[in-house]
Amino acid sequence: MEDKAQIQEAIKIQGEVVRKLKSEKASKEQIDEEVAKLLELKAQLGGDDGKHQFVLKTAKGTRDYNPKQMAIREKVFNTIIGCFKRHGAETIDTPVFELKETLTGKYGEDSKLIYDLKDQGGELLSLRYDLTVPFARYLAMNKITNIKRYHIAKVYRRDNPAMTRGRYREFYQCDFDIAGQYDAMIPDAECLKIVYEILSELDLGDFRIKVNDRRILDGMFAVCGVPDDKFRTICSTVDKLDKMAWEDVKKEMVNEKGLSEEAADQIGEYVSMQGGMDLAERLLQDQKMSQSKQACAGLSDIKQLFSYLQLFQVTDKVVFDLSLARGLDYYTGIIYEAVLTQAGVAPVTNDNQQGANTEENVSVGSVAGGGRYDGLVGMFDPKGRKVPCVGVSIGIERIFSIMEQKAELSAERVRTTEVQVMVASAQKNLLEERLRLVTELWNAGIKAEVMYKKSPKLLSQLQHCEESGIPLVAILGEQELKDGVVKLRDVATREEFDISRAELIAEIRRRTSEA
Amino acid sequence: MEDKAQIQEAIKIQGEVVRKLKSEKASKEQIDEEVAKLLELKAQLGGDDGKHQFVLKTAKGTRDYNPKQMAIREKVFNTIIGCFKRHGAETIDTPVFELKETLTGKYGEDSKLIYDLKDQGGELLSLRYDLTVPFARYLAMNKITNIKRYHIAKVYRRDNPAMTRGRYREFYQCDFDIAGQYDAMIPDAECLKIVYEILSELDLGDFRIKVNDRRILDGMFAVCGVPDDKFRTICSTVDKLDKMAWEDVKKEMVNEKGLSEEAADQIGEYVSMQGGMDLAERLLQDQKMSQSKQACAGLSDIKQLFSYLQLFQVTDKVVFDLSLARGLDYYTGIIYEAVLTQAGVAPVTNDNQQGANTEENVSVGSVAGGGRYDGLVGMFDPKGRKVPCVGVSIGIERIFSIMEQKAELSAERVRTTEVQVMVASAQKNLLEERLRLVTELWNAGIKAEVMYKKSPKLLSQLQHCEESGIPLVAILGEQELKDGVVKLRDVATREEFDISRAELIAEIRRRTSEA
């Protein structure tokens, strides 16, 4: 516990910080953060009434999901899991934290974004940064050499959150991977088929899947005269081509990374190329490119891949794009990324401060990505035994954002429950009868609700149905009880009719079966 | 980075620790833990070949779920979520970590079990300890005054893991709560109805639901002469009655907690009482008990509760038991706990070291519990506005353990995929034809697989079906292709017959619709 005077001093300083930020017109996000710290300090001190004041918020970069968001989330998951299951995938789960050591050396520069747990005695632990490294750890630990699995779970990155664009510090990943020694490009093609199916089914608008190969990139760098030790850094500059113009990318290569202008221009020529199997064939004949054995291996695989994609009927959306260069260190072969091409369904981008895309026709960002990583599992195996893997990660948070936006714009209300019928009463003192009836319905598997009041008003019971989209009301009154019937009301049409208790359950099922 | 010599010194010391433990015949768990630390140190040093040696394990007290465990988990979740939805519940989700302050002061002594995150700059964070406190924070933060919601998610406790008994440091909680100002005991009764439905549907064997009320306990302590400041500590001793004999509980009260023998004996009389509505009526007439206003309020509510439970048709399993005293500080009214009463389906208990139950007929432990907590939300509201809540938590990890054990014992194999058909070939070089057919099936929504080999052996394709329970094989050969048919094989019966490509999809659906 800190001393009271110390806290008061800290409050004074923090107050200055907030005032300064406000006077400097800092971003709302920044000010909010400092205000939260101030409130926290004040809370430590306690209010005048001695009552502890809480800061009522979730941790920075995280959010609650309310019932409406959960309903949308469930729908999206059902579509995606349905596709994974159609392709015969099993599922696994791993703990939310791993030994710190398990994550060490897997993420390059991004390692600084890993959340560590406090050392409270015992092992040093970190929150998982993605699902791929735990998957590789799982395979090595259990000596599994082939599996087709999906894993949907939250991962954690101490990144600068941009929540308006669907970027959080806690977010879902949704991964499908095929591990095992198989004939080239068959599992790789299935991953692309899966992306195609999911994006089509979710109906997010038109999309494109860009494909490239790590070996083609490396070969290209070699034949363009990039020094070996600059491959990675030049690659990460190429990766910015989806957000920056070529001119700026070139400037970065030449001015910041010290590449010769000539080499940069040669790269510029290649990375502007897009096509299909034909482009791969052309590049295999390319005087320069064909000098690289690596590039040729990659190009042959791209050809093979497209032949399978034709059989899978997905070539209309797939494009071989030499500018695609995904960041992660562990990719060894094919890489791919899916982008939505309709600007209209983009996640809200109202953080102008960061100079976000303002053009109309830019791609609205990646909604899936992945590739082949044949070396990762071997990093965990004591004997270095390799298990070739290829996988795809669905950018589920961005998809949630888009679906939420669509739901906002749509006239249709999102239901957050599946209740089929409300057991109501127009008269007082019929609670027991309502409870008896709702028990009958529950026992028959009908989704039903009753108000937790002894004598609720009929109007408020009907209002609840309207608000939560419950389609039917079963109304009980003295007369109905005498006659052994229930008055069934259709909420949408307001039609009402009596039905015998014996027939009620079948009638409710009949009327709600299409829902 | 530590110095090499320092690490070598640490390895030496840690080696001593391990040797000492072994010589002392310490528990396997303890030794394993220290050995892991030793390996970790050695790994830091690097092997002779300069290759980094990883400790391949999950964090202490956590586990991976393999596909078989996931299949069981999915089945259990479906049953439970089905019940929650039948009762009209919405669902929400909250972040895995909260501001540390949010959890402060909610768990009494158990606060030491909270996992904190490392201070990496910014807010102080802790992993959630349960789902109830985040729920209360959510309600207060969003000013929600009534909701019926379920939340299934993992929570974290730095407890001593007893994984053989299904006790982990990372484990699922599965909560259903009703928040809102309603007429007494109606939502409380629905919570018990839900426990009854879930335990019946999961078919875990016979069970009992014990019910008591915090106010009855407090009233009982008062009339038995327990000093006010000893209520909580005596209550936690009473809570041990399900694991300890009355004699030992009494000893703890008198010898350790300084209660008079007379007071202890009076408590002993009450806590041996079990019954139903009749017992509540009797106690309302009890000379001593009736002196406590609190106890009378609780007893009247128990009476009311039982009248609703009768309407819900669940009184055969519910018992009013004055010895039930759940630990958590935040309960204010009704409390309850469900226990399985058949010893046969108990989770494996082979950790004798902890002196676990060895008797035959003791209850095998709680599988659900909950109660009313009318004050918790108010702790988060700046103005202290209260939102009455009642809820239940299903002990899902224990249920997983039991279901896994049942699956082990059962002859039926647990399927980990839902694949309906495998597209196979008896001849070489038919990969393209297989891919064409599997695409047709996928596009029709059939769950189908194909081997990722150009020319797999028919036997290995059939073997895969046997192993993973795929019921059908669609076999392609030159002849079938010529005839425009597919040979469909029933894996179980080995029956084979030709079917036209046009009729294939309907036939697969027909044969796998009951699955």
Side-chain angles (χ1 to χ4, degrees):
Chain A
M1 270 296 139
E2 282 180 274
D3 181 47
K4 209 165 173 178
Q6 264 183 309
I7 298 175
Q8 274 163 338
E9 183 58 28
I11 289 175
K12 227 169 100 185
I13 297 169
Q14 186 62 25
E16 292 294 339
V17 171
V18 171
R19 264 186 298 278
K20 188 155 173 290
L21 283 175
K22 282 184 180 170
S23 73
E24 287 168 351
K25 301 212 186 304
S27 74
K28 188 177 175 308
E29 203 170 51
Q30 222 181 333
I31 293 175
D32 283 352
E33 193 179 331
E34 298 301 329
V35 167
K37 281 185 199 163
L38 181 62
L39 289 175
E40 232 168 294
L41 283 166
K42 285 186 175 170
Q44 277 178 44
L45 206 61
D48 283 336
D49 52 353
K51 214 185 150 312
H52 189 76
Q53 297 291 316
F54 287 96
V55 184
L56 263 182
K57 69 185 283 289
T58 61
K60 182 180 175 185
T62 68
R63 61 163 167 175
D64 296 317
Y65 284 82
N66 65 34
K68 205 166 142 187
Q69 291 167 322
M70 288 298 280
I72 291 167
R73 179 173 125 178
E74 192 178 324
K75 210 180 129 216
V76 173
F77 279 157
N78 284 345
T79 301
I80 294 174
I81 293 172
C83 176
F84 292 157
K85 287 189 172 176
R86 192 159 60 241
H87 287 263
E90 307 176 296
T91 186
I92 68 162
D93 194 17
T94 65
V96 81
F97 45 70
E98 295 275 343
L99 297 185
K100 183 175 170 54
E101 212 201 3
T102 299
L103 307 190
T104 304
K106 308 300 183 308
Y107 303 107
E109 266 186 25
D110 289 345
S111 294
K112 64 178 186 294
L113 303 181
I114 293 173
Y115 275 98
D116 291 329
L117 268 71
K118 189 168 153 186
D119 183 357
Q120 294 169 291
E123 302 157 334
L124 292 182
L125 306 171
S126 302
L127 297 187
R128 61 182 164 212
Y129 183 84
D130 65 11
L131 302 177
T132 311
V133 167
F135 175 54
R137 191 266 305 147
Y138 174 82
L139 295 187
M141 185 171 140
N142 296 288
K143 299 192 173 53
I144 294 165
T145 53
N146 59 309
I147 189 172
K148 178 160 61 184
R149 81 92 182 76
Y150 68 91
H151 188 187
I152 299 181
K154 287 175 179 174
V155 302
Y156 299 87
R157 299 186 184 178
R158 293 180 52 255
D159 216 334
N160 233 348
M163 306 206 278
T164 44
R165 289 189 294 168
R167 243 177 60 202
Y168 295 88
R169 288 182 159 198
E170 174 188 61
F171 59 96
Y172 269 99
Q173 280 200 342
C174 183
D175 285 14
F176 171 94
D177 295 82
I178 302 172
Q181 188 70 59
Y182 298 117
D183 285 332
M185 293 301 112
I186 315 176
D188 313 57
E190 186 170 10
C191 287
L192 297 181
K193 169 78 172 159
I194 281 172
V195 173
Y196 186 101
E197 286 182 10
I198 288 173
L199 295 183
S200 304
E201 252 186 273
L202 288 176
D203 198 18
L204 301 169
D206 205 13
F207 60 90
R208 236 174 338 145
I209 308 175
K210 300 184 208 169
V211 180
N212 199 0
D213 192 296
R214 194 37 83 78
R215 293 163 299 170
I216 298 175
L217 280 166
D218 284 350
M220 175 183 83
F221 293 141
V223 301
C224 291
V226 178
D228 281 15
D229 62 343
K230 286 202 170 132
F231 277 21
R232 285 270 172 267
T233 183
I234 293 299
C235 192
S236 77
T237 305
V238 168
D239 198 26
K240 296 180 184 167
L241 268 172
D242 55 343
K243 290 176 203 105
M244 275 159 65
W246 165 250
E247 279 316 307
D248 298 319
V249 167
K250 183 181 162 184
K251 255 184 224 158
E252 187 176 313
M253 286 180 179
V254 176
N255 301 345
E256 288 176 37
K257 312 230 160 148
L259 197 65
S260 74
E261 185 129 354
E262 197 198 342
D265 283 336
Q266 286 185 26
I267 292 174
E269 230 169 89
Y270 282 121
V271 296
S272 67
M273 294 179 182
Q274 292 192 350
M277 197 192 280
D278 54 314
L279 176 59
E281 272 161 1
R282 195 142 44 84
L283 286 170
L284 275 170
Q285 310 303 323
D286 182 89
Q287 212 190 342
K288 251 202 322 250
M289 200 65 119
S290 59
Q291 287 166 18
S292 162
K293 254 177 125 172
Q294 269 209 81
C296 290
L299 290 165
S300 303
D301 273 354
I302 290 277
K303 268 184 65 182
Q304 178 79 277
L305 178 75
F306 268 92
S307 76
Y308 295 145
L309 294 178
Q310 265 162 17
L311 296 167
F312 285 158
Q313 302 170 13
V314 298
T315 42
D316 59 316
K317 308 280 189 196
V318 183
V319 55
F320 172 32
D321 182 330
L322 275 91
S323 75
L324 177 71
R326 289 174 61 74
L328 286 170
D329 274 10
Y330 51 62
Y331 290 122
T332 55
I334 287 285
I335 50 177
Y336 35 81
E337 193 166 287
V339 292
L340 299 183
T341 51
Q342 286 182 322
V345 292
V348 193
T349 63
N350 52 10
D351 48 348
N352 295 321
Q353 286 152 346
Q354 306 214 11
N357 294 326
T358 45
E359 287 171 69
E360 271 285 314
N361 253 338
V362 293
S363 64
V364 299
S366 155
V367 285
R372 177 162 283 282
Y373 50 102
D374 289 348
L376 191 60
V377 179
M379 288 176 75
F380 288 102
D381 189 278
K383 292 183 181 155
R385 276 169 300 213
K386 288 189 175 180
V387 178
C389 293
V390 63
V392 63
S393 188
I394 308 296
I396 192 79
E397 294 287 346
R398 198 159 252 169
I399 292 171
F400 290 153
S401 293
I402 296 168
M403 299 299 270
E404 280 172 28
Q405 217 183 335
K406 278 175 86 170
E408 284 300 322
L409 297 174
S410 144
E412 223 177 305
R413 201 206 309 265
V414 178
R415 280 199 73 182
T416 58
T417 76
E418 298 171 13
V419 175
Q420 297 164 286
V421 60
M422 167 103 188
V423 175
S425 153
Q427 288 140 344
K428 283 192 175 179
N429 300 320
L430 288 176
L431 173 62
E432 298 203 352
E433 291 301 335
R434 281 188 289 132
L435 295 185
R436 206 168 268 137
L437 178 55
V438 80
T439 302
E440 262 179 56
L441 298 177
W442 285 332
N443 291 351
I446 302 282
K447 295 174 188 124
E449 264 193 319
V450 68
M451 276 212 147
Y452 305 125
K453 299 270 183 188
K454 284 191 173 164
S455 302
K457 296 205 175 84
L458 184 61
L459 192 64
S460 67
Q461 294 171 88
L462 294 180
Q463 222 157 18
H464 174 72
C465 293
E466 299 257 4
E467 278 163 14
S468 53
I470 300 172
L472 297 172
V473 196
I475 303 173
L476 285 173
E478 297 293 353
Q479 193 56 50
E480 284 82 8
L481 285 167
K482 243 182 243 157
D483 299 347
V485 298
V486 168
K487 196 181 288 304
L488 200 61
R489 179 186 170 107
D490 184 306
V491 176
T493 63
R494 300 186 177 186
E495 168 203 9
E496 284 185 359
F497 58 95
D498 284 355
I499 184 163
S500 76
R501 293 280 282 242
E503 289 167 89
L504 178 63
I505 287 165
E507 181 64 18
I508 293 171
R509 285 206 187 111
R510 199 183 62 72
R511 286 179 169 257
T512 55
S513 62
E514 58 262 307
Chain B
M1 270 294 140
E2 282 179 273
D3 181 46
K4 209 166 174 177
Q6 263 183 312
I7 299 175
Q8 275 164 338
E9 183 57 28
I11 289 176
K12 230 169 96 184
I13 297 170
Q14 187 61 25
E16 293 292 341
V17 170
V18 171
R19 265 186 297 278
K20 187 154 172 289
L21 283 175
K22 282 183 179 170
S23 74
E24 288 168 351
K25 300 209 186 308
S27 74
K28 189 177 173 307
E29 201 170 51
Q30 220 181 336
I31 293 174
D32 283 351
E33 192 179 332
E34 297 301 327
V35 167
K37 281 185 198 162
L38 181 61
L39 290 175
E40 231 169 293
L41 284 166
K42 284 186 175 170
Q44 277 179 44
L45 206 61
D48 283 335
D49 51 353
K51 214 183 149 317
H52 188 78
Q53 297 290 316
F54 286 98
V55 183
L56 263 181
K57 67 185 285 288
T58 60
K60 182 178 173 184
T62 69
R63 60 163 168 174
D64 298 316
Y65 284 82
N66 65 34
K68 204 166 142 185
Q69 291 166 323
M70 287 299 279
I72 291 168
R73 181 173 122 177
E74 191 178 323
K75 211 180 128 214
V76 173
F77 278 157
N78 284 345
T79 301
I80 293 174
I81 292 171
C83 176
F84 292 158
K85 287 189 173 175
R86 191 160 58 243
H87 287 264
E90 308 177 294
T91 186
I92 68 162
D93 195 16
T94 64
V96 82
F97 45 70
E98 295 275 345
L99 297 185
K100 183 175 169 56
E101 211 200 6
T102 299
L103 308 190
T104 304
K106 309 298 185 307
Y107 304 106
E109 266 187 26
D110 288 345
S111 295
K112 63 179 185 295
L113 302 181
I114 293 173
Y115 276 99
D116 291 329
L117 268 70
K118 191 168 150 185
D119 183 358
Q120 294 169 293
E123 302 158 334
L124 292 182
L125 306 172
S126 302
L127 297 187
R128 62 182 163 212
Y129 183 85
D130 66 10
L131 302 178
T132 310
V133 167
F135 175 54
R137 191 265 306 146
Y138 173 82
L139 295 187
M141 186 172 139
N142 297 288
K143 300 193 171 54
I144 294 166
T145 53
N146 60 310
I147 188 173
K148 178 160 62 181
R149 82 90 182 78
Y150 68 92
H151 188 187
I152 300 181
K154 287 175 179 174
V155 302
Y156 299 87
R157 300 185 183 179
R158 294 179 54 253
D159 215 334
N160 233 347
M163 305 205 279
T164 45
R165 289 189 295 168
R167 243 178 58 202
Y168 294 88
R169 288 181 160 196
E170 174 188 60
F171 59 96
Y172 269 99
Q173 279 200 341
C174 184
D175 285 14
F176 171 94
D177 295 83
I178 301 172
Q181 187 70 57
Y182 299 117
D183 284 331
M185 293 300 112
I186 315 176
D188 313 59
E190 186 170 11
C191 287
L192 297 181
K193 169 79 171 159
I194 281 172
V195 173
Y196 186 101
E197 286 182 11
I198 288 173
L199 295 182
S200 304
E201 252 187 273
L202 288 175
D203 197 19
L204 301 169
D206 204 15
F207 61 90
R208 237 175 337 145
I209 308 175
K210 300 184 206 169
V211 180
N212 200 0
D213 192 295
R214 194 37 83 77
R215 293 163 298 170
I216 298 175
L217 280 166
D218 284 351
M220 174 183 82
F221 292 142
V223 300
C224 291
V226 178
D228 281 15
D229 61 344
K230 286 202 170 135
F231 277 20
R232 285 270 172 263
T233 182
I234 293 300
C235 192
S236 77
T237 304
V238 167
D239 198 26
K240 296 179 184 168
L241 269 173
D242 56 344
K243 291 177 201 100
M244 277 160 62
W246 165 249
E247 279 315 307
D248 298 321
V249 167
K250 181 183 164 185
K251 255 183 224 159
E252 188 176 310
M253 285 180 179
V254 176
N255 300 346
E256 288 176 37
K257 313 230 159 150
L259 197 65
S260 74
E261 186 128 355
E262 198 199 341
D265 283 336
Q266 287 185 25
I267 292 173
E269 231 169 274
Y270 283 121
V271 296
S272 68
M273 294 178 182
Q274 292 191 350
M277 197 190 284
D278 53 316
L279 177 58
E281 273 161 0
R282 193 142 47 83
L283 286 170
L284 274 170
Q285 310 303 323
D286 183 89
Q287 212 191 342
K288 251 205 319 258
M289 200 66 117
S290 59
Q291 286 166 18
S292 162
K293 251 179 131 171
Q294 270 209 79
C296 290
L299 289 165
S300 302
D301 274 353
I302 291 276
K303 267 184 65 181
Q304 178 79 278
L305 178 75
F306 269 91
S307 77
Y308 295 144
L309 295 178
Q310 265 162 15
L311 296 167
F312 285 157
Q313 303 171 12
V314 298
T315 41
D316 58 318
K317 308 280 188 196
V318 183
V319 54
F320 172 33
D321 182 330
L322 275 91
S323 75
L324 178 71
R326 289 176 60 75
L328 287 169
D329 274 10
Y330 52 62
Y331 290 122
T332 55
I334 288 283
I335 49 177
Y336 35 82
E337 193 166 288
V339 292
L340 300 181
T341 51
Q342 286 181 322
V345 291
V348 195
T349 64
N350 52 9
D351 49 347
N352 296 322
Q353 287 154 344
Q354 305 215 11
N357 294 328
T358 45
E359 286 170 69
E360 272 286 312
N361 253 337
V362 294
S363 63
V364 299
S366 155
V367 286
R372 177 161 283 283
Y373 51 102
D374 289 347
L376 192 59
V377 179
M379 288 176 75
F380 287 103
D381 189 279
K383 294 188 181 153
R385 275 168 299 214
K386 287 190 176 181
V387 178
C389 293
V390 63
V392 62
S393 188
I394 308 295
I396 193 79
E397 295 286 345
R398 198 159 251 169
I399 292 171
F400 290 152
S401 293
I402 296 168
M403 298 300 269
E404 281 172 29
Q405 216 181 338
K406 278 175 87 171
E408 284 300 321
L409 296 174
S410 144
E412 223 177 305
R413 200 207 308 265
V414 178
R415 281 201 71 183
T416 58
T417 76
E418 298 171 13
V419 176
Q420 297 164 284
V421 61
M422 167 104 188
V423 176
S425 153
Q427 287 140 345
K428 282 192 177 178
N429 300 321
L430 288 175
L431 174 62
E432 297 205 350
E433 291 301 338
R434 281 189 290 131
L435 295 185
R436 205 167 270 137
L437 178 55
V438 81
T439 301
E440 264 179 54
L441 298 177
W442 285 332
N443 290 352
I446 302 281
K447 294 173 187 126
E449 264 193 318
V450 68
M451 277 211 147
Y452 305 125
K453 298 270 184 189
K454 284 191 172 164
S455 302
K457 295 203 179 84
L458 183 62
L459 191 66
S460 67
Q461 295 171 83
L462 295 180
Q463 224 159 16
H464 174 72
C465 293
E466 300 255 2
E467 278 162 14
S468 53
I470 300 172
L472 297 172
V473 196
I475 303 173
L476 286 172
E478 298 293 353
Q479 193 57 50
E480 285 83 6
L481 285 168
K482 245 181 243 157
D483 300 347
V485 299
V486 168
K487 197 183 287 304
L488 199 62
R489 179 185 170 109
D490 183 306
V491 176
T493 63
R494 301 187 178 187
E495 170 203 5
E496 284 185 0
F497 58 94
D498 285 354
I499 185 162
S500 77
R501 293 281 283 242
E503 289 168 89
L504 178 64
I505 287 164
E507 181 65 17
I508 293 171
R509 283 205 187 113
R510 201 182 61 73
R511 285 178 170 256
T512 55
S513 62
E514 58 261 310

